[in-house]
Amino acid sequence: MSKHGRMDRWPGIIESYREFLPVDEKTPVVTLLEGGTPLIPAPRLAEMIGGNIDLFLKFEGENPTGSFKDRGMTLAISKAKEEGARAVICASTGNTSASTAAYSTRCGLKAYVLIPEGKIALGKMSQALIHQATILQVKGNFDEALSLVKQVAEKYPVTVVNSINPYRLEGQKTAAFEVCDVLGSAPDYHFMPVGNAGNITAHWMGYNEYYKCGKIASLPKMIGLQAAGSAPIVHGRVIKEPHTIATAIRIGNPASWKPALEAAAESKGEINLVTDEEITEAYRMIAKYEGVFCEPASAAGVAGVIKLNKRGHFKKGEVAVCTLTGHGLKDPDFSIGISEKPETIPGGLDSLIQALGF
Ligand code: F0G
């Protein structure tokens, strides 16, 4: 409790994990108090899946801009500010652009975001717009947009805040710390969607740092899930025209391809794929059985749990954490599109009673 009698507030990931991050007293901390997201037990979902596992959902949709990107963005933007940058740039399937726009406007940095035309979810677009980022829609996919961003930043005074910026991964590793802090140990498995492959890389860094300093005594198996139409790592080749309903992970040439493969190999985990149908089914189940609303891409991890469980992968009582990377409200078109339309009643008590079936 603070001296005002209120609960102490969560100070954001930089203040919470300062000793693990590349910051010092000169770093101006730009924060929206990101992180500290809930690790939600999911016993009904585990039961419906038919697994004997202890399942938890790390709900990153509860970050300030509704996705895990805020963890990396607070650090990337703070360091850009420290280094005297005037402008930042990113390519994005939507969430990075929302986070970039929010954190940069908060500290007076100019933000440029490149997005694949027509392929980002409505909520994400609305965020980048309202925070006054300069948005450029590219006639091409995320991979092409990221390639343009890298070329511009080589020649012009603008800082890239995609996950090729090492501060992004440093910030994102704090999600692994939080999981361990809550569980009191590392889980047996950590499942998550893989797009540009930065997040799985960051988590593996985080778990290893906690292991090395003795905070945890074991490491989890890292299980990354790509969408079947966008699964370059699983197939071992660049996918020129990636496709999936999970637009956040519609990526054919991930920047952190190699470290993601290493994370899977070193942890004795795997990078696997799930179909759009499997993702949609998991997305529905998370919402229906646990009351948690994530965006489609975020459900890929749970789809992975379902897939591995069918193979008889888990031992009774094993602990599995699934990161739900973004909030369901990011993509309302998708949830409405797969749901039944509500019935309209003429009004009046009789029609209501009839419709309710009393
Ligand atoms: N889930 C969501 C909701 C995402 O937005 C992303 C990536 C991922 C998973 C995959 O994470 O790239 O670290 O493997 N979104 C990026 C963006 C590409 O531009 O917002 P990753």
Side-chain angles (χ1 to χ4, degrees), residues 67-69 91-97 124 142 162-163 168-169 172 193-200 248-249 251 295 297-298 325-327:
S67 86
F68 71 95
K69 304 288 179 180
S92 181
T93 57
N95 281 324
T96 299
S97 58
K124 304 175 188 182
F142 169 86
N162 279 104
S163 56
R168 279 278 312 278
L169 300 192
Q172 284 172 213
V194 169
N196 215 19
N199 209 27
I200 192 167
I249 53 171
I251 293 176
E295 66 171 284
S298 301
T325 44
H327 203 288

Side-chain angles (χ1 to χ4, degrees), residues 337-351:
I338 64 161
S339 302
E340 269 183 44
K341 303 282 162 289
E343 185 185 343
T344 302
I345 58 170
L349 190 57
D350 289 347
S351 70

Side-chain angles (χ1 to χ4, degrees), residues 27-47:
T27 313
V29 176
V30 182
T31 179
L32 285 163
L33 311 184
E34 58 296 309
T37 57
L39 187 67
I40 305 174
R44 292 191 76 210
L45 185 58
E47 193 186 327

Side-chain angles (χ1 to χ4, degrees), residues 13-14 22-23 26-32 34 65 69-90 96-113 133 158-162 165-171:
I13 61 118
I14 295 182
V23 289
K26 294 189 301 301
T27 313
V29 176
V30 182
T31 179
L32 285 163
E34 58 296 309
T65 78
K69 304 288 179 180
D70 296 341
R71 294 179 183 277
M73 205 54 72
T74 181
L75 198 63
I77 296 291
S78 297
K79 294 301 281 187
K81 203 66 189 159
E82 181 181 342
E83 289 157 12
R86 307 286 287 276
V88 296
I89 190 167
C90 69
T96 299
S97 58
S99 190
T100 300
Y103 281 79
S104 48
T105 200
R106 190 165 173 79
C107 65
L109 277 175
K110 175 85 203 119
Y112 301 101
V113 306
V158 59
T159 303
V160 179
V161 291
N162 279 104
N165 177 327
Y167 298 126
R168 279 278 312 278
L169 300 192
E170 289 286 337

